[in-house]
Amino acid sequence: MRSVSLPDGTELPNLGLGTWYIGDSRNRRDEEIRALRTGIDLGMNLIDTAEMYGNGASEQLVGEAIDGLRDEVFLVSKVYPNHASIEGVAAACEASLKRLGTDRLDLYLLHWRGGVPLSETVQGFERLIAQGKILRWGVSNFDPGDMDELSDVPGGGAAATNQVLYNLSTRGIEWDLLPEARANGLPIMAYSPVDQARLLQDDDLIEIAGDLGVSAAQLALAWTIDGGGVIAIPKAGWAEHVEENADAAELILSEEIRAELDAIFPPPSGPEPLAIL
């Protein structure tokens, strides 16, 4: 599996495991845990979750899945904006660590912009680093203006990633956010890389994928990570889907295939507001 480097040199797989809507159903718990463990076995050892997902249920399930495997996993969670004050982020982090059954997060993200000043949130993150409770921090759903504001905050340049919505049908970040991130050596973490399964129903995508002997999901994922500097975190609810996703990391798309996809899913022709789910 190819890798993407964080600003501190840490190498991560360009395909990870998303957990949005995972942990909501007790009937599916065993299968979802098996899916996450399958991903870890296949080298997709980045697991992304958040205190928001299922009001903590996702973190609890992830904690079960990584029990005994913590050192093999790069663990990411996210804090609500209304918890992003100095004291609030400390309490939120402590609660996430308890649900996850661990003493540290590898990466802690501000889920989106809120009313707390960025300077205060950064200060809270840095305190958590000093305490060893997180190893690095980043942001999510930040547009170029937000990133400019962050860079002006003391310590704001230490952000390790920006997690945003990015897939074939949502390409607005290619106009400014993505090239700027690549120029600055800041990886983008792409959530919903198959557009919450909507891309899997696209007849044109299905046809191109069939000609290549792959699935629509594999083609969509391969496209997302093919340009470099992007880590995709598709939802991982079934072990079979995780295995299918893992194979996408090996696909290298030709210029002809990329041109066909551009014709169906055009790149942006100008600045667009950041899309957020």
Side-chain angles (χ1 to χ4, degrees), residues 62-83:
V62 170
E64 290 185 43
I66 66 173
D67 185 30
L69 303 171
R70 176 63 185 92
D71 291 340
E72 300 178 31
V73 173
F74 188 93
L75 190 56
V76 185
S77 194
K78 298 183 282 292
V79 59
Y80 272 122
N82 58 308
H83 292 166

Side-chain angles (χ1 to χ4, degrees), residues 65-199:
I66 66 173
D67 185 30
L69 303 171
R70 176 63 185 92
D71 291 340
E72 300 178 31
V73 173
F74 188 93
L75 190 56
V76 185
S77 194
K78 298 183 282 292
V79 59
Y80 272 122
N82 58 308
H83 292 166
S85 64
I86 293 175
E87 298 302 325
V89 77
C93 181
E94 199 64 47
S96 286
L97 292 175
K98 183 177 181 180
R99 287 189 290 267
L100 288 161
T102 185
D103 62 351
R104 70 200 184 281
L105 291 171
D106 295 289
L107 179 61
Y108 200 28
L109 308 180
L110 174 61
H111 210 148
W112 64 87
R113 283 295 300 271
V116 177
L118 288 177
S119 58
E120 188 172 344
T121 302
V122 171
Q123 189 177 350
F125 282 152
E126 292 297 336
R127 286 190 181 183
L128 290 171
I129 289 177
Q131 294 166 0
K133 294 183 177 180
I134 67 173
L135 301 187
R136 51 190 70 77
W137 62 269
V139 295
S140 180
N141 295 306
F142 270 41
D143 65 21
D146 295 326
M147 294 303 293
D148 288 342
E149 287 186 49
L150 181 63
S151 67
D152 290 336
V153 169
T161 190
N162 184 12
Q163 184 180 121
V164 296
L165 176 64
Y166 182 50
N167 54 55
L168 269 169
S169 57
T170 310
R171 300 180 59 175
I173 68 168
E174 292 176 19
W175 183 261
D176 42 21
L177 189 68
L178 181 55
E180 289 174 12
R182 284 173 172 157
N184 293 325
L186 185 75
I188 290 293
M189 198 173 290
Y191 71 82
S192 296
V194 296
D195 197 15
Q196 296 189 314
R198 283 185 285 269
L199 281 169

